[in-house]
Amino acid sequence: MKKRCLMLAGCLSLVMAAPALAATGPYFGVQAGASLLPDEDFQGTGANSDVRFTDEYDGGYTVGAFVGYRLTVIRLEAELSYRQSDLDDIKDASVAGVGVVSSFEDAGIGVDGETNVTSLMFNAYFDLRNPTPFTPYVMAGVGGANVERDNLRLTSGAVTITAPDDDDTVLAWQVGAGVDFDFTEFLSLGVGYRYFATDDPEYSGLDGEFDSHNVIASIRFNF
């Protein structure tokens, strides 16, 4: 009797797990969320090599779309996404032999501008399949990103200085983890964290950096 119960429990667990393990095929979806940039350091080059400063940002956002294919517990995916964050302040700005401004805002200089990033990434996911509708995952991706510094304006009283827009296309990578919830065989909702970073972008007379912490919600349609 005990053996029969164990066999029945084993068969039942296999039946319950079967739909999750059999989930293969193409999918597509959309995603959106918050993108938070840490302080980014910049260093002048060439004739500006004695210039250094740090950008501080407000919270930003990210949106994107993706298409992929499920191979049981592995998913392979192409993702197109966009990130934007507004500049809040410029800190620790220094020119060798001239001086340091610890904060433009505290010095009465208004700062406006934004950093925009458009990326095309190729991602791989490992799904931790189980009998429940919840599927945790880990992921990693590599691709390219165009990093833009746009609409930079410094204002002091009636004087406004506008910097030219500039951009660079660089290698990008990301890692993350999250969990999906399968409403049906064809519809999944997910939430996850991603760390996204690029090689240091090079602008005219300036070397920078870019990385971000992202919390993303997604809707995936499975076929």
Side-chain angles (χ1 to χ4, degrees):
M1 183 66 178
K2 185 176 181 181
K3 289 184 178 180
R4 288 184 180 179
C5 290
L6 290 174
M7 290 177 63
L8 181 60
C11 290
L12 183 60
S13 66
L14 288 174
V15 169
M16 293 177 63
L21 294 175
T24 63
Y27 65 87
F28 76 93
V30 293
Q31 62 191 33
S35 183
L36 305 177
L37 274 61
D39 293 351
E40 310 282 7
D41 295 327
F42 292 83
Q43 169 69 57
T45 59
N48 302 317
S49 59
D50 56 353
V51 175
R52 295 184 180 182
F53 61 91
T54 298
D55 280 355
E56 183 180 78
Y57 294 90
D58 292 326
Y61 68 90
T62 177
V63 293
F66 52 88
V67 60
Y69 195 89
R70 294 166 292 149
L71 300 167
T72 310
V73 297
I74 300 294
R75 284 186 282 137
L76 303 177
E77 176 184 285
E79 170 203 300
L80 180 65
S81 64
Y82 175 82
R83 292 170 171 83
Q84 178 177 307
S85 294
D86 291 334
L87 188 61
D88 180 59
D89 194 11
I90 295 177
K91 304 189 304 183
D92 301 325
S94 66
V95 179
V98 177
V100 178
V101 178
S102 59
S103 167
F104 276 34
E105 182 180 14
D106 292 346
I109 302 173
V111 177
D112 291 299
E114 60 191 39
T115 293
N116 307 312
V117 178
T118 303
S119 61
L120 177 62
M121 306 296 291
F122 298 96
N123 304 320
Y125 291 76
F126 181 75
D127 290 331
L128 303 174
R129 308 297 300 188
N130 61 81
T132 77
F134 295 93
T135 304
Y137 66 81
V138 293
M139 61 83 65
V142 64
N146 180 256
V147 185
E148 301 177 88
R149 285 172 56 83
D150 293 337
N151 305 315
L152 177 60
R153 297 186 304 275
L154 305 178
T155 304
S156 180
V159 178
T160 298
I161 299 174
T162 301
D165 296 343
D166 210 343
D167 71 282
D168 192 17
T169 299
V170 290
L171 180 69
W173 58 275
Q174 62 183 350
V175 294
V179 62
D180 290 333
F181 178 80
D182 296 330
F183 270 97
T184 70
E185 181 182 354
F186 306 104
L187 177 64
S188 301
L189 299 184
V191 63
Y193 164 81
R194 293 187 191 177
Y195 176 75
F196 177 92
T198 74
D199 281 355
D200 292 344
E202 297 180 1
Y203 309 105
S204 299
L206 191 66
D207 284 347
E209 60 182 358
F210 182 87
D211 64 332
S212 63
H213 302 277
N214 306 269
V215 178
I216 297 173
S218 64
I219 301 175
R220 191 175 80 234
F221 301 92
N222 307 307
F223 295 94

